[in-house]
């Protein structure tokens, strides 16, 4: 019971953080402001600067005076922004929901560009070709404009940015998308039947981190 309450609390906090503000194409960041944080590098060094997560690729951006710059993902071990701790996984910052250094379930928050294209935004056209063309030429905050002060002044002028959440199971050896077909494709033949039985027996729900945590134990044993 305590574990279920803990899972619910973590997920609720994540939802509050994700949707407490509206992101736009001119401010496609997870946080409403650049927040004091620390970058922990693989060579043991640290860097403490104002940080934010750019949701186009879940990349780490930081402030150098009034300029916004992108950190080199290959050098990063993990990042602390305020009270939130992120791991660099597959060159993207992911938020560990539950687990430890031997394995965890992680959440990836990204801008849903397909939804933006399909909706047409304020473009006045539902044509996917036209929407794609306009999206590619659109000003994206933190990419086409990197002056922090200017971007803050214009943060509400862009298109409303739809978001999507993806889950991953991270072990010391592999990173598995929370997708049954994808995981099966990576398993050796002799583990296929056991995996299928485990998923059925535990009634794994692929969009629920608490359920994915049970699957983590199976994958760690590999």
């Amino acid at each position: 019971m305590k574990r279920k309450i803990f899972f619910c609390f973590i997920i609720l906090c994540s939802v509050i953080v994700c949707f407490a503000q509206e992101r736009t194409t001119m401010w496609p960041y997870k946080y409403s402001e650049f927040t004091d944080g620390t970058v922990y590098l693989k060579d043991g060094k640290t860097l403490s600067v104002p940080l934010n997560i750019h949701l186009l690729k879940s990349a780490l951006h930081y402030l150098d005076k009034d300029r916004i710059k992108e950190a080199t993902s290959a050098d990063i071990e993990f990042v602390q922004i305020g009270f939130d701790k992120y791991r660099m996984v597959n060159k993207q910052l992911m938020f560990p929901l539950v687990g430890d250094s031997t394995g965890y379930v992680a959440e990836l928050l990204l801008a849903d560009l397909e939804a933006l294209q399909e909706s047409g935004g304020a473009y006045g056209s539902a044509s996917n070709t036209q929407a794609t063309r306009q999206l590619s030429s659109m000003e994206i905050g933190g990419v086409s404009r990197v002056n922090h002060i200017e971007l803050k002044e214009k943060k509400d002028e862009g298109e409303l940015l739809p978001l999507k959440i993806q889950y991953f199971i991270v072990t010391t050896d592999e990173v598995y998308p929370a997708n049954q077909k994808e995981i099966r494709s990576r398993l050796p033949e002799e583990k296929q039947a056991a995996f299928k039985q485990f998923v059925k027996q535990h009634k794994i729900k692929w969009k629920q981190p608490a359920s994915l945590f049970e699957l983590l134990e199976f994958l760690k044993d590999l």
Side-chain angles (χ1 to χ4, degrees), residues 22-141:
E22 289 185 347
R23 283 77 168 201
T24 70
T25 52
M26 287 304 294
W27 191 266
Y29 288 102
K30 182 166 186 178
Y31 298 94
S32 59
E33 301 284 346
F34 275 75
T35 303
D36 289 341
T38 303
V39 183
Y40 294 83
L41 303 176
K42 292 180 179 179
D43 62 6
K45 296 179 181 178
T46 61
L47 175 66
S48 295
V49 288
L51 301 169
N52 215 328
I53 299 176
H54 198 278
L55 298 176
L56 201 63
K57 299 181 295 181
S58 195
L60 182 66
H61 283 196
Y62 66 96
L63 290 184
D64 182 2
K65 297 181 180 179
D66 290 333
R67 302 290 290 179
I68 298 173
K69 295 185 177 181
E70 182 170 323
T72 303
S73 60
D75 299 333
I76 299 172
E77 186 71 31
F78 64 93
V79 175
Q80 186 88 33
I81 303 178
F83 294 105
D84 299 333
K85 184 176 180 179
Y86 298 86
R87 287 280 180 180
M88 185 62 74
V89 182
N90 289 347
K91 298 183 179 180
Q92 295 176 302
L93 284 172
M94 296 189 189
F95 183 70
L97 294 172
V98 63
D100 54 33
S101 59
T102 64
Y104 52 90
V105 178
E107 175 189 275
L108 176 64
L109 182 68
L110 291 173
D112 192 344
L113 298 184
E114 290 184 6
L116 184 61
Q117 293 170 3
E118 291 171 0
S119 68
Y123 304 141
S125 171
S127 167
N128 189 60
T129 302
Q130 183 174 347
T132 302
R133 187 184 305 116
Q134 289 172 320
L135 181 63
S136 63
S137 63
M138 179 187 295
E139 287 188 292
I140 301 291

Side-chain angles (χ1 to χ4, degrees), residues 133-174:
R133 187 184 305 116
Q134 289 172 320
L135 181 63
S136 63
S137 63
M138 179 187 295
E139 287 188 292
I140 301 291
V143 177
S144 59
R145 295 195 185 197
V146 293
N147 183 285
H148 179 235
I149 296 176
E150 179 184 353
L151 206 60
K152 284 187 67 176
E153 292 175 347
K154 297 181 178 294
K155 64 191 302 184
D156 297 325
E157 294 183 9
E159 301 289 344
L160 189 63
L161 192 67
L163 304 175
K164 61 182 178 181
I165 294 176
Q166 300 174 357
Y167 296 112
F168 291 82
I169 302 171
V170 184
T171 70
T172 54
D173 300 314
E174 285 283 352

